[in-house]
């Protein structure tokens, strides 16, 4: 029995570190730019223009929790702002293609944080959107304009949905949310990956891992539920998901959509795997976002 407990706790420690470890190359922003310009070559000329006109800013903010969060921003001077949230083991740079969409094609200011333990921000372990939702709310308050949209991809989509169930900052007249391929809750996502990657059932490792997460970081996998949060959201939400997504399985978006009260919109993109809806359907993606924001 003692040996079994030791193996279970040891396995839980391994799984926790495996799941929440930041990208080991997070400081290498040059490789992120190379990937961005390879996948979305149109972003290079646009970013060069922003820099030439001193329109692309970045800053490091001290958050209420006492850590520093790095943020890129583009301020056009209007009263519409998009807050773009990146995915798991990613950083904001890789999602400048969405910043370009909002700034160039839709006329929005843009705010793009490196989430906790990502990019140039402080932190030693990812928080899978749950505690990150509080940072999103803080950024909405700091950068607030009359209209704001929070748009997240993958873990960023889950972060967006988790934030949506909280009380919004005052004095924002129109708030909207876009979830692109976010998961229902951290338990569901990790249990699915445990089975697909390691061929293991949820019991006992998921139980020991979430217990260790609570002990070490102050939150647990069941608590971190986008599904429960969207059920409390009364603002418009646009759900986007690829029909061939296996990393965050497509069935999750239907559960999320069903849980969310009106107003809501669902678009399941054809022949698309994880986080590639924009890449595979660029023109339609922009057009659907534009219609959603009207």
């Amino acid at each position: 029995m003692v040996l079994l407990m030791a193996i279970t706790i040891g396995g839980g420690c391994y799984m926790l570190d495996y799941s929440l470890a930041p990208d080991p190359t997070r400081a290498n922003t040059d490789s992120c730019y190379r990937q961005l310009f390879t996948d979305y070559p149109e972003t290079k000329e646009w970013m060069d223009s922003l820099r030439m006109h001193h329109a692309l800013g970045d800053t490091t903010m001290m958050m209420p929790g006492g850590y520093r969060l790095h943020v890129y921003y583009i301020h056009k001077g209007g009263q519409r702002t998009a807050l773009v949230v990146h995915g798991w083991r990613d950083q904001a740079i890789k999602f400048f293609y969405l910043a370009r969409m909002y700034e160039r094609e839709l006329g929005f200011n843009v705010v793009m944080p490196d989430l906790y333990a990502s990019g140039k921000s402080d932190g030693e372990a990812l928080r899978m959107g749950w505690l990150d939702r509080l940072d999103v709310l803080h950024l909405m308050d700091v950068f607030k304009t009359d209209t704001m949209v929070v748009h997240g991809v993958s873990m960023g989509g889950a972060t967006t949905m988790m934030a949506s169930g909280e009380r919004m900052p005052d004095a924002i007249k129109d708030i909207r949310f876009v979830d692109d391929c976010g998961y229902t809750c951290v338990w569901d996502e990790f249990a699915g990956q445990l089975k697909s990657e390691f061929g293991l059932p949820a019991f006992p490792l998921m139980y020991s891992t979430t217990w260790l997460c609570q002990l070490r970081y102050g939150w647990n996998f069941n608590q971190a539920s986008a599904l429960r949060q969207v059920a409390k959201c009364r603002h418009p939400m646009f759900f986007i998901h690829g029909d061939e997504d296996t990393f965050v399985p497509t069935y999750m978006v239907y559960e999320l959509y069903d849980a969310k009260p009106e107003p809501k919109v669902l678009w399941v993109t054809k022949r698309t795997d994880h986080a590639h809806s924009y890449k595979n359907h660029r023109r339609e993606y922009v057009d659907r976002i534009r219609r959603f924001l009207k």
Side-chain angles (χ1 to χ4, degrees):
M1 179 62 74
V2 173
L3 178 61
L4 179 60
M5 287 183 64
I7 292 172
T8 301
I9 292 174
C13 288
Y14 172 81
M15 292 305 300
L16 188 64
D17 292 338
Y18 175 85
S19 303
L20 304 186
D23 178 3
T25 65
R26 61 192 269 199
N28 186 356
T29 56
D30 288 343
S31 67
C32 293
Y33 280 117
R34 283 195 297 271
Q35 181 180 331
L36 173 72
F37 297 151
T38 298
D39 292 343
Y40 306 98
E42 68 277 8
T43 58
K44 187 176 189 311
E45 181 180 352
W46 169 73
M47 292 193 71
D48 288 344
S49 176
L50 288 176
R51 291 193 176 102
M52 185 185 308
H53 292 91
H54 307 288
L56 176 61
D58 71 273
T59 187
T60 300
M61 301 174 56
M62 186 62 68
M63 303 304 285
Y67 49 86
R68 295 170 301 173
L69 207 72
H70 179 254
V71 181
Y72 299 95
Y73 60 92
I74 306 165
H75 183 63
K76 296 175 66 69
Q79 284 298 312
R80 300 193 301 170
T81 299
L83 200 162
V84 177
V85 190
H86 66 75
W88 183 71
R89 285 187 182 159
D90 271 325
Q91 56 178 279
I93 289 171
K94 295 182 184 178
F95 292 80
F96 267 113
Y97 66 90
L98 288 177
R100 180 183 179 276
M101 176 189 76
Y102 276 106
E103 189 275 337
R104 180 166 179 168
E105 304 204 45
L106 301 174
F108 276 61
N109 306 318
V110 184
V111 177
M112 298 183 66
D114 285 329
L115 295 179
Y116 187 83
S118 302
K120 297 180 182 180
S121 292
D122 287 347
E124 300 304 318
L126 302 175
R127 307 188 300 181
M128 301 307 296
W130 183 239
L131 300 183
D132 300 309
R133 81 195 193 284
L134 304 178
D135 291 343
V136 166
L137 293 168
H138 183 72
L139 292 173
M140 290 176 71
D141 195 37
V142 170
F143 290 95
K144 66 182 154 190
T145 50
D146 288 348
T147 297
M148 299 199 77
V149 55
V150 184
H151 186 141
V153 181
S154 191
M155 188 185 81
T159 306
T160 296
M161 291 185 288
M162 290 172 186
S164 76
E166 303 295 330
R167 185 180 184 276
M168 294 294 112
D170 295 331
I172 305 174
K173 297 176 182 177
D174 184 10
I175 300 174
R176 295 169 189 249
F177 297 95
V178 180
D179 156 48
D180 187 335
C181 64
Y183 39 80
T184 50
C185 75
V186 174
W187 179 281
D188 293 343
E189 179 61 18
F190 282 174
Q193 290 301 310
L194 184 64
K195 184 175 181 180
S196 64
E197 294 292 322
F198 299 97
L200 295 173
F203 183 84
L205 273 183
M206 281 293 296
Y207 293 83
S208 61
T209 306
T210 192
W211 174 75
L212 288 165
C213 188
Q214 181 72 57
L215 195 66
R216 193 183 297 181
Y217 301 122
W219 64 276
N220 64 70
F221 299 165
N222 282 308
Q223 181 184 29
S225 172
L227 200 61
R228 283 197 297 270
Q229 291 292 95
V230 298
K232 299 186 289 182
C233 177
R234 296 300 183 269
H235 298 282
M237 185 172 294
F238 185 15
F239 297 91
I240 303 169
H241 216 106
D243 67 343
E244 297 177 1
D245 194 340
T246 56
F247 190 72
V248 176
T250 307
Y251 78 82
M252 288 188 176
V253 76
Y254 295 107
E255 294 184 358
L256 290 159
Y257 181 78
D258 288 344
K260 168 71 173 71
E262 294 285 356
K264 57 186 177 180
V265 181
L266 172 64
W267 179 34
V268 177
T269 56
K270 302 298 184 185
R271 298 178 299 281
T272 300
D273 59 357
H274 186 64
H276 287 143
S277 290
Y278 177 87
K279 190 174 185 179
N280 292 355
H281 306 275
R282 297 189 193 191
R283 189 70 265 156
E284 187 174 3
Y285 196 106
V286 176
D287 289 344
R288 284 178 178 264
I289 293 290
R290 181 181 286 111
R291 290 199 299 271
F292 173 68
L293 296 175
K294 282 185 178 178

